Structure formats: C-alpha cells, structure tokens
Amino acid sequence: MQSLINNIKTRIVLSENEIDIIKRLFRKKAIKKGEKILTGGEVCRSLYYVSEGLLRHYIYYNDKEITIHFSEENTFACDFISFLNQTPSEKTVEALEDTELSYITHENLKLFYRDIKYGDRFGRILLEEIFLTAIQHITSVYTDSAEKRYLNFLSSFNRLQQRIPQFYIASFIGVTPQSLSRIRKRLSKN
C-alpha cells in the first residue's frame, strides 16, 4: 500500500487523515500469471494499481489478439472507457506474471474524489498522462516505421523487454514476430 500512497503523492499533497482514507478505499488483490482482471464484454468496475508484477492489455480484432498496452509496477491499469462509463469493455487485461494489485471500485473512487482534498486533481492528472501516452502510441502506429515503433517501445518499456514474450512485443508494435526478429538483428548490428 505504501507504493500506492507514494505514487499518489507524486501528483497531489496528502494529509495523514487522507492517507488513512485511501487505505480504507483501496483493497489488495493477488493474481497468478495468466489470470485476468478484466475480460472483453465485462464492465470494468475497478481501477487497479500494480504494486508488483506485469499486466498485458489486449483486444480482439479480425479474430486476432492485438496487444495495446502493458502495465508494470507503479502504474495504474484499467479500461478507462468502460470504467468511467460503466459500459462493457472491449479490452482484456491479464497477468503476464504473478501480480500484486491494489484496487479501488468505481463507487469508492467517487468517495476518493469527495473526501480527498485534491482527489479530483489526481484523477485529472492521471487521465491526462494516460491520454498523452495513448495518443503518442496511436500516432506512432500510423506515422512511424516498424523499427521506430520498436525503438519507441524500448524507450517506454526498456526494463520490461526481458519480461515480455517477443510475440506480444511484436503485436504491440504491429508486426509479425519474424519481422521483429529482423528489426532486432538489424539494430544489434548498428
């Protein structure tokens, strides 16, 4: 829970009383590798904080899994469209490793916004960060070469490349695993 508190403190100031409120509003959950915290078609009812472990976010498109994001330690994970609107998700989120999470329900997040002095500011800042990351990735998919998308992946997730299977990285950057191997070989020669 301390990791979560520290993360929130990077965005807003918290009093001791507010820290106690946060500890009451968030719950802990451990999941095993391969378990899902969200399956496409379900409503995302919680915002998760990854204390330890790694999550993969993916969608199905043309009967194919497409990896759209990874959530590592000290990041938040959620299908924000589903969570904020309380509508069915198109995304599935599964653990790539045994993972320790803290989570807050949609209802408790409303209490967080109400009872934490700068709670709504925290929500705005978090969503701005997520929005910028999503727009950068979408823009990269349409404007950058496959090699540049891989370099962007390394820039954003460098410490994860040994923890993520290569076929998920290939899916994330929009290439086949064979193309990713060629890109990696070409880059290693430079």
Side-chain angles (χ1 to χ4, degrees):
M1 192 66 72
Q2 192 57 49
S3 171
L4 169 66
I5 301 296
N6 291 342
N7 189 289
I8 293 171
K9 282 181 166 181
T10 65
R11 296 175 177 91
I12 61 171
V13 175
L14 294 172
S15 69
E16 287 302 317
N17 182 52
E18 289 172 328
I19 290 171
D20 291 338
I21 292 169
I22 290 168
K23 288 178 179 177
R24 285 194 308 272
L25 293 176
F26 277 85
R27 301 282 182 255
K28 291 182 182 180
K29 180 177 190 165
I31 60 172
K32 296 288 185 195
K33 178 180 178 176
E35 281 187 64
K36 296 174 175 72
I37 59 169
L38 179 65
T39 301
E42 297 175 347
V43 174
C44 183
R45 303 220 182 267
S46 298
L47 169 63
Y48 296 89
Y49 176 78
V50 182
S51 301
E52 189 176 311
L54 180 62
L55 302 172
R56 176 176 78 105
H57 305 235
Y58 63 92
I59 60 171
Y60 285 98
Y61 181 74
N62 289 336
D63 297 323
K64 191 167 96 175
E65 278 185 15
I66 299 175
T67 301
I68 57 174
H69 192 61
F70 300 100
S71 295
E72 61 183 306
E73 290 87 358
N74 305 313
T75 63
F76 289 89
C78 183
D79 179 340
F80 287 94
I81 295 170
S82 173
F83 182 71
L84 295 173
N85 295 319
Q86 289 296 277
T87 55
S89 175
E90 294 183 26
K91 184 193 300 190
T92 298
V93 181
E94 77 173 332
L96 292 181
E97 303 171 346
D98 291 350
T99 301
E100 298 288 328
L101 303 163
S102 295
Y103 69 94
I104 188 168
T105 64
H106 189 263
E107 296 77 26
N108 281 353
L109 186 62
K110 290 178 187 176
L111 297 175
F112 178 94
Y113 289 155
R114 185 191 75 193
D115 297 343
I116 305 297
K117 182 176 181 180
Y118 298 113
D120 55 345
R121 181 181 297 172
F122 169 80
R124 178 185 52 79
I125 292 169
L126 181 64
L127 285 176
E128 285 174 354
E129 292 168 3
I130 290 162
F131 176 78
L132 289 174
T133 300
I135 293 300
Q136 288 168 344
H137 181 67
I138 291 167
T139 301
S140 177
V141 166
Y142 287 104
T143 61
D144 293 336
S145 67
E147 187 171 301
K148 175 73 169 125
R149 291 193 306 271
Y150 179 63
L151 291 171
N152 290 343
F153 166 82
L154 292 178
S155 174
S156 297
F157 298 107
N158 186 38
R159 62 207 162 277
L160 299 181
Q161 72 175 315
Q162 299 305 317
R163 295 168 58 190
I164 300 173
Q166 294 302 301
F167 58 94
Y168 290 152
I169 295 172
S171 172
F172 179 71
I173 66 169
V175 298
T176 64
Q178 296 80 5
S179 293
L180 177 58
S181 290
R182 287 191 294 275
I183 290 167
R184 292 179 66 182
K185 187 180 233 181
R186 201 167 42 247
L187 288 172
S188 70
K189 289 179 181 178
N190 293 340

